[in-house]
């Protein structure tokens, strides 16, 4: 895979050694950046510069905590994927937390890699679903204007695009079915 | 602590006593009405004062409906010593005959205060103690998670830079510390709290408790019933029993789970479940010690697994015993597990 297509992760943990170990686990597949404070992490996230795709966020940090960083990201609608990693056991309070995943410390290499892959799969799914809905809506509007007999080629093209999107969606659902989220989709 | 006092069938007495005590009172004229309000709001009442004037007001009927936790004081019309004996036998906390007591109002007032204070202190100090213990264990365990994470990260970074036999050894030690912290957290969570029971599909929970991946083998009786328990606690029991079997019986141990007796025929019957393995078994002399905290014969054990099992079993009011299995391994039996009514 060429460097341009690689996704970029921002790793935020006040323990530099911990952040570096996540880098070690993930640098084969992704570009990585490290910040050791919540404030510095927020500075990396500017709406104009969309270089970062996902954030691995420590929850308990001196100064600005992971909770606050996640809230800011949510508030400014920055729309990054966020995985919270914490030594604090998840409590009911994570229900309202604007994060896409939650891991409990200590974490293993497999857990970190799996959580990142899963988050990207879900993002892909969302994106595909949006494109499918868009195509389906156009299709419905056009269909009401043409009878099926004299449908123009454009409409046929739209139909085949919907079909390929549908197949992609099915493939993705299958890869997701090995995760918790997949169980929800398939039910 | 509950300061509400329920007066039953004592209209005049209630209003006189009220001025002598500093708690709110609720009055009911009949035993039926009293039972109704007590059933609906039982945890609000710290004490019940009832008249007894058979057959119009029958205090023994009320005593049957009020749980042991709430003291009931009986104030009879036309009392007798045989009536007093009968009331105490039915669970009354006090019996005051206004005809034979010089200052019945004051005596009842004092008794109410005494009962409220006793009930409150016994309950709340135990609950507070448990809460403190739970918080402490939880705090320490979580504080340990951070240094374990740091060590794990550092070790993985070292392993990427160089090769050494010591890396694996430290890795195993870290795994053990992680397990110990998990056990301590489980203890804090399940050991000191009352369970929140629902119907639990035993077979399902047991197969979820089996560790994966593993080379060990499990066979679960397909006719296991649904039971009444808290699922997460049941899962903890079987997880720990399975971990114990694998730790002692080796990676290829065979574990069987089934019912000790034939399946219960009636709804709500209790059932006994066994977990047997073909490992080395447990020395009869050691059997009484295996449930103690910190007891372990294994290199990798935390010494907490079976102690947690014992703790949860006790919380549920079940019993656990250990014997030898048919193939010389260990056999744990859980007794007195209530089954859920079949749907």
């Amino acid at each position: 895979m060429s460097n341009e297509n690689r996704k970029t992760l921002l790793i935020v943990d006040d323990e530099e050694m911990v952040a570096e170990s996540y880098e070690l686990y993930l640098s084969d597949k992704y570009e990585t950046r490290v910040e050791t404070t919540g404030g510095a992490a927020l500075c990396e996230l500017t709406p104009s510069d969309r270089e970062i795709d996902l954030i691995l966020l420590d929850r308990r940090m001196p100064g600005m905590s992971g909770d606050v960083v996640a809230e800011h990201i949510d508030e400014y609608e920055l729309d990054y994927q966020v995985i919270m990693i914490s030594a604090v056991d998840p409590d009911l309070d994570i229900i309202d937390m604007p994060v896409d995943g939650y891991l409990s410390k200590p974490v293993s290499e497999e857990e970190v890699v799996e959580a990142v892959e899963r988050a990207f799969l879900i993002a892909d799914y969302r994106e595909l679903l949006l494109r499918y809905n868009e195509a389906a809506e156009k299709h419905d509007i056009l269909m009401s204007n043409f009878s099926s007999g004299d449908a123009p080629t454009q409409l046929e093209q739209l139909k085949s695009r919907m079909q390929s999107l549908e197949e992609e969606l099915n493939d993705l659902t299958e890869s997701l079915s090995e995760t918790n989220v997949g169980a929800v989709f398939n039910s | 602590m509950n300061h509400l006092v329920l007066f039953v069938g004592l209209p005049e007495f209630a209003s006189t006593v009220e001025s002598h005590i500093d708690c709110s009172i609720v009055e009911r004229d009949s035993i039926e009405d009293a039972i109704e309000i007590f059933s609906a709001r039982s945890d609000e009442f710290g004490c019940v004062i009832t008249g007894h004037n058979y057959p119009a007001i029958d205090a023994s009927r009320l005593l049957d409906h009020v749980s042991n936790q709430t003291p009931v004081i009986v104030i009879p019309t036309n009392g007798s010593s045989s009536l007093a004996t009968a009331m105490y036998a039915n669970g009354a906390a006090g019996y005051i005959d206004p005809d034979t007591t010089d200052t019945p109002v004051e005596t009842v007032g004092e008794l109410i205060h005494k009962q409220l204070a006793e009930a409150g202190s016994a309950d709340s100090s135990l609950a507070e103690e448990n809460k403190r213990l739970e918080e402490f264990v939880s705090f320490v365990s979580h504080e340990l998670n951070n240094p374990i994470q740091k060590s794990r990260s550092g070790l993985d970074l070292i392993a990427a830079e160089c090769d050494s036999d010591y890396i694996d050894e430290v890795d195993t030690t870290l795994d053990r510390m992680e397990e110990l912290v998990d056990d301590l957290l489980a203890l804090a969570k399940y050991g000191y709290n009352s369970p929140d029971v629902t119907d639990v599909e035993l077979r399902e929970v047991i197969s979820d408790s089996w560790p994966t991946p593993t080379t060990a083998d499990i066979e679960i009786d397909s006719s296991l019933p649904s039971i009444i328990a808290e699922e997460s606690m049941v899962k903890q029991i079987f997880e720990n029993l399975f971990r114990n079997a694998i730790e002692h019986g080796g990676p290829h141990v065979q574990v069987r789970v089934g019912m000790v007796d034939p399946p219960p025929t009636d709804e709500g019957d209790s059932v006994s479940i066994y977990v047997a393995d073909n490992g080395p078994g447990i020395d009869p002399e050691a059997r009484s010690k295996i449930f103690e905290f910190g007891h372990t014969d294994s290199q990798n054990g935390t010494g907490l697994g079976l102690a947690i099992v014992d703790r949860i079993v006790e919380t549920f009011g079940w019993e656990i015993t250990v014997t030898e299995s048919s193939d010389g391994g260990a056999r744990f039996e859980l007794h007195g597990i209530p089954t859920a009514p079949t749907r």
Side-chain angles (χ1 to χ4, degrees):
Chain A
M1 202 185 270
S2 77
N3 271 7
E4 290 148 43
N5 290 333
R6 278 159 66 105
K7 299 210 154 132
T8 303
L9 315 179
L10 177 63
I11 297 165
V12 190
D13 198 306
D14 61 309
E15 292 287 355
E16 217 172 323
M17 193 159 74
V18 173
E20 276 176 38
S21 73
Y22 299 166
E23 257 194 312
L24 176 75
Y25 306 151
L26 296 160
S27 56
D28 277 356
K29 285 178 119 178
Y30 309 100
E31 295 298 311
T32 52
R33 292 188 196 174
V34 169
E35 289 298 344
T36 53
T37 65
L42 272 187
C43 291
E44 288 251 10
L45 307 171
T46 49
S48 53
D49 159 35
R50 295 303 314 242
E51 277 181 34
I52 286 157
D53 300 287
L54 182 143
I55 304 158
L56 286 172
L57 188 59
D58 184 26
R59 188 166 182 189
R60 262 206 319 207
M61 290 184 286
M64 193 185 288
S65 73
D67 294 40
V68 176
V69 175
E71 271 163 33
H72 277 304
I73 293 170
D74 187 51
E75 214 172 291
Y76 297 127
E77 294 180 353
L78 294 174
D79 208 28
Y80 294 100
Q81 299 254 90
V82 178
I83 297 173
M84 189 80 90
I85 307 187
S86 168
V88 186
D89 255 1
D91 202 345
L92 289 177
D93 57 351
I94 68 163
I95 292 173
D96 294 326
M97 204 180 276
V99 297
D100 303 279
Y102 198 103
L103 292 177
S104 292
K105 282 184 181 181
V107 287
S108 64
E109 175 169 357
E110 297 82 64
E111 282 173 301
V112 174
V113 170
E114 218 246 359
V116 171
E117 279 172 2
R118 191 172 54 210
F120 281 136
L121 274 180
I122 293 168
D124 288 352
Y125 190 91
R126 268 194 211 141
E127 175 66 30
L128 267 179
L129 208 57
L130 275 177
R131 277 164 52 197
Y132 179 81
N133 277 340
E134 215 178 272
E137 238 164 74
K138 279 184 196 158
H139 179 262
D140 284 354
I141 291 169
L142 290 174
M143 277 305 280
S144 60
N145 291 336
F146 297 94
S147 62
S148 58
D150 53 16
T153 46
Q154 285 98 321
L155 197 58
E156 289 305 315
Q157 279 170 0
L158 197 58
K159 255 189 185 165
S160 72
R161 206 173 117 209
M162 281 169 64
Q163 248 167 28
S164 74
L165 280 171
E166 222 174 293
E167 275 161 31
E168 267 186 78
L169 272 172
N170 282 339
D171 287 350
L172 205 53
T173 313
E174 232 158 80
S175 9
L176 273 168
S177 68
E178 287 147 33
T179 69
N180 289 336
V181 187
V184 177
F185 280 135
N186 288 333
S187 63
Chain B
M1 186 169 158
N2 313 310
H3 281 291
L4 208 53
V5 179
L6 177 61
F7 276 86
V8 188
L10 295 160
E12 285 153 25
F13 203 79
S15 48
T16 334
V17 172
E18 190 171 22
S19 57
H20 281 78
I21 54 177
D22 62 354
C23 36
S24 311
I25 71 163
V26 172
E27 281 184 66
R28 285 295 179 271
D29 290 330
S30 71
I31 296 289
E32 284 71 30
D33 292 350
I35 291 172
E36 194 187 325
I37 191 171
F38 187 83
S39 314
R41 298 163 58 186
S42 63
D43 37 3
E44 290 173 46
F45 294 108
C47 188
V48 179
I49 318 293
T50 179
H52 177 80
N53 192 2
Y54 194 80
I57 304 280
D58 183 3
S60 46
R61 286 196 47 221
L62 187 60
L63 283 164
D64 287 340
H65 280 85
V66 174
S67 70
N68 291 334
Q69 277 133 352
T70 312
V72 178
I73 298 163
V74 180
I75 301 175
T77 313
N78 305 321
S80 67
S81 59
S82 63
L83 181 65
T85 316
M87 288 300 160
Y88 278 119
N90 272 337
Y95 176 93
I96 294 163
D97 188 345
D99 295 335
T100 60
T101 312
D102 289 336
T103 52
V105 171
E106 284 83 346
T107 310
V108 170
E110 274 166 35
L111 197 53
I112 290 172
H113 280 147
K114 193 168 148 250
Q115 293 293 352
L116 288 179
E118 267 177 23
S121 69
D123 266 15
S124 64
S125 73
L126 184 65
E128 254 169 54
E129 183 89 352
N130 283 345
K131 183 112 191 81
R132 263 206 304 277
L133 194 57
E134 188 193 329
E135 278 169 5
F136 173 72
V137 174
S138 169
F139 169 78
V140 171
S141 314
H142 282 131
E143 286 308 300
L144 284 169
N145 278 334
N146 269 319
I148 293 175
Q149 174 68 66
K150 248 184 109 171
S151 312
R152 166 85 58 211
S153 290
L155 190 67
D156 284 349
L157 290 165
I158 292 169
E161 278 178 18
C162 61
D163 193 19
S164 162
D165 289 344
Y166 297 122
I167 292 174
D168 274 352
E169 220 169 297
V170 178
D171 195 47
T172 314
T173 311
L174 282 175
D175 281 345
R176 226 191 123 194
M177 284 172 71
E178 243 185 276
E179 208 164 81
L180 195 62
V181 169
D182 283 348
D183 273 358
L184 282 168
L185 280 170
L187 186 66
K189 203 161 148 202
Y190 304 128
Y192 305 101
N193 278 326
S194 34
D196 196 1
V197 300
T198 53
D199 288 8
V200 175
E201 280 289 342
L202 200 48
R203 205 187 133 75
E204 210 171 285
V205 177
I206 290 173
S207 64
D208 283 350
S209 312
W210 185 247
T212 50
T214 178
T215 49
D217 192 41
I218 186 164
E219 189 187 302
I220 307 169
D221 181 351
S222 60
S223 61
L224 289 180
S226 287
I227 62 165
I228 300 170
E230 183 177 325
E231 189 168 322
S232 57
M233 290 164 93
V234 175
K235 194 155 181 271
Q236 186 76 39
I237 291 179
F238 285 98
E239 274 173 4
N240 289 11
L241 288 177
F242 294 156
R243 201 173 82 199
N244 184 69
I246 294 167
E247 252 161 36
H248 293 275
H252 297 288
V253 73
Q254 289 181 318
V255 178
R256 281 166 292 120
V257 185
M259 269 180 284
V260 175
D261 301 312
T265 44
D266 287 333
E267 282 186 4
D269 271 359
S270 70
V271 69
S272 296
I273 307 288
Y274 70 83
V275 175
D277 65 54
N278 64 348
I282 299 164
D283 182 15
E285 272 154 39
R287 283 177 196 163
S288 60
K289 289 214 165 116
I290 56 168
F291 294 110
E292 287 172 12
F293 283 104
H295 174 90
T296 180
D297 287 332
S298 152
Q299 282 283 310
N300 303 313
T302 61
L304 290 176
L306 291 180
I308 291 168
V309 170
D310 189 47
R311 194 91 211 196
I312 297 175
V313 164
E314 197 180 308
T315 308
F316 281 137
W318 307 346
E319 235 186 288
I320 186 163
T321 57
V322 57
T323 56
E324 194 180 313
S325 70
S326 54
D327 32 20
R331 177 181 163 111
F332 290 91
E333 290 183 2
L334 296 155
H335 302 284
I337 305 172
T339 57
T342 43
R343 269 158 281 171

